[in-house]
Amino acid sequence: MCEACTEIETRFEAVAKAAAPLGSRLPRVRDPVLGGWIAKQMHALLRNITAGHCALDVVIGEGLDALNVGRRAMDLSYSNIGDYAREELGINASTATKMARLARRLRDRPLVREAVRQGELTARKAEIIAPVAVGDDQARWILIGKAETVRSLNARVKAPADPDEEKWVNLCADVSPEQLPTLDEGLRLAGVIVGATATKMQRLNAWAEEFQSSHPAPPDERADDVLFIAEDDLEPLKKHLEDENHQWAGLAAVQPLKAPHSNEEIDPWRIHAELKQHLEKRNRWDDVFGHVAMLFKQSRAWELLGFASFGHYCEEQLGMAERTVMQRIALERSLSRIPLLRRALREKRISYEKARIIARHAQGEEVQGWIEKAETMTCVALRRAMQDKDEAQMCARGTFSAWMTVSVAEVVKAAFRAARAAAKRWLSAGECLVALAEHFIETWRAQLKQANTLQRRVRARDKHFCQVPGCSRAAVHAHHIKPRSQGGSDDPENLISLCAAHHLFGIHGGRMRVTGTAPDKLVWEFGLRRSYVAA
């Protein structure tokens, strides 16, 4: 083992031993001095855990970036590293893409890359300074990054907000059974325009924009804020607390951990094996991190340490987005509530990503059944099955629900105001949605008549998704399972929907093969080009 790996293992044993006595809840403490001392000890433990977790994230990001070169991910049967990370590593696709993007940026910034690998600069700060820390300016920006907070560094660089960290809100409205077909038709037509694989949020956004194109929205009277979660502006408070606490100089300093050495392989199967090894270690850290972070959040320890919010603490001290930490805390709560799920996770029957999907959607006696299904399903197939189940339950309850980002929520709220102004009366959220859907259908139905071709019927049968296991891309091609040159027919049983990458570089590139009959009796063969030579 390399020296960095030995240090990580030694630190893990120490933090695991320290976290072992912690129960599911910390005792209530009335003495502020004692409470402050406990908060500082929890902070020191959490920082040590984060140091190891982030060190492994660095080398995993470099491995994912290596797979992103050429067609290496395709050799492993995946069209992009997001799908690969979700299915093979159990890491969220957007998280994996962000890790690889940072590693790619740091290739041309050797000083910043080394500072991140040594643990002297967090990945969050490296992302912020990457656009400006180039050439001879790298050393100066590294020093600035070490000395300043994330908030002040963002202000100095004038970095744009990360779209992956935008807050999400939920819209839930009561809709009568007679109105549900109208909403379904509106969603279908929006899918034709935006794309068959578009999310419900994207389709609602299309409704709202189309309605406002002919019905301008009146000024915001804040009468519909009850539908969405309001955002609070904490920037002035964050700055005040940073100055008041001298950037939290009194908190315990934690010795950084170096990232393990990367072998810089070019063979995708060797990169995959190396990533699997690092992931095993990361999962052990992640298990301890989720438990300690949940206790820290429950006890509101960040208030005693002088932070404006839990998100403020995560960003400044852990170098992680609040959304990332909250997702892990939510999973930890679900694992505590559902012992079956924790057992399946520890027995490696399911990955962290599958556990997160099941915890979010399944309840009670359903869990065992979904765990058994998850063992034979890909993450993307499991997520789609869960979404179909939720949609069916919402239809039965007569509700319409959709998660959306705050920016899309503002567009929908403006469309609701426009719908109420056009009707000249107050409309409920459900009535507003029906008005938007009816307007969209009336505008686009006549213009979206499509020829009923064989390829369209095949893609509709496959729900417009690429049928390669684990692929999340939209289908754009129909592939003949048995080629016509070999006597294959144009029957639907001989056609399968594929994305362009898997069709051209996977099937016809000789990396994979499919046989059988569509849609349910297919046999996939992967890894057909195992000998790998760098071009």
Side-chain angles (χ1 to χ4, degrees), residues 228-243:
F228 300 97
I229 301 170
E231 279 193 302
D232 295 324
D233 187 10
L234 296 177
E235 289 301 312
L237 180 58
K238 290 179 182 179
K239 184 178 186 307
H240 170 72
L241 290 173
E242 288 170 17
D243 297 338

Side-chain angles (χ1 to χ4, degrees), residues 81-291:
I81 56 169
D83 287 345
Y84 165 80
R86 183 185 59 247
E87 302 296 340
E88 298 291 340
L89 306 181
I91 299 176
N92 185 271
S94 61
T95 301
T97 304
K98 186 185 294 185
M99 292 161 65
R101 183 174 64 234
L102 176 62
R104 183 170 61 254
R105 283 184 172 183
L106 296 186
R107 275 194 233 150
D108 301 328
R109 298 163 178 82
L111 295 181
V112 180
R113 179 175 181 264
E114 188 60 24
V116 173
R117 289 189 59 83
Q118 296 294 326
E120 298 172 357
L121 195 69
T122 65
R124 181 74 185 98
K125 289 184 176 180
E127 286 177 2
I128 297 172
I129 68 172
V132 292
V134 293
D136 296 335
D137 276 348
Q138 291 182 70
R140 182 172 70 88
W141 278 106
I142 290 171
L143 293 175
I144 293 173
K146 290 180 181 179
E148 295 197 8
T149 63
V150 172
R151 186 204 58 80
S152 60
L153 201 59
N154 258 318
R156 181 188 283 263
V157 178
K158 297 180 180 178
D162 190 340
D164 291 335
E165 295 177 11
E166 188 175 4
K167 290 186 180 296
W168 286 68
V169 294
N170 181 249
L171 168 65
C172 189
D174 293 328
V175 180
S176 65
E178 296 79 15
Q179 295 172 327
L180 284 173
T182 302
L183 298 182
D184 291 339
E185 178 64 10
L187 291 173
R188 186 191 70 79
L189 289 178
V192 175
I193 294 175
V194 183
T197 59
T199 63
K200 188 182 284 189
M201 176 188 75
Q202 293 169 324
R203 301 183 190 211
L204 285 180
N205 189 56
W207 288 4
E209 290 179 343
E210 178 60 45
F211 193 88
Q212 290 183 80
S213 66
S214 56
H215 300 80
D220 186 1
E221 299 174 355
R222 307 194 71 81
D224 50 3
D225 284 355
V226 293
L227 298 174
F228 300 97
I229 301 170
E231 279 193 302
D232 295 324
D233 187 10
L234 296 177
E235 289 301 312
L237 180 58
K238 290 179 182 179
K239 184 178 186 307
H240 170 72
L241 290 173
E242 288 170 17
D243 297 338
E244 187 75 15
N245 294 284
H246 305 290
Q247 294 188 12
W248 309 283
L251 297 180
V254 175
Q255 188 69 22
L257 283 174
K258 299 178 183 178
H261 176 67
S262 176
N263 292 330
E264 298 183 354
E265 286 282 355
I266 62 171
D267 187 294
W269 291 276
R270 292 180 180 175
I271 297 172
H272 170 68
E274 186 179 332
L275 283 171
K276 282 286 191 179
Q277 293 175 2
H278 294 312
L279 183 74
E280 288 292 326
K281 300 174 184 176
R282 184 185 187 268
N283 286 344
R284 294 166 62 203
W285 283 91
D286 204 49
D287 195 24
V288 182
F289 173 75
H291 182 55

Side-chain angles (χ1 to χ4, degrees), residues 467-486:
Q467 295 303 291
V468 175
C471 185
S472 62
R473 287 186 168 179
V476 292
H477 295 170
H479 169 68
H480 287 79
I481 299 171
K482 184 177 181 181
R484 283 184 293 183
S485 60
Q486 299 176 14

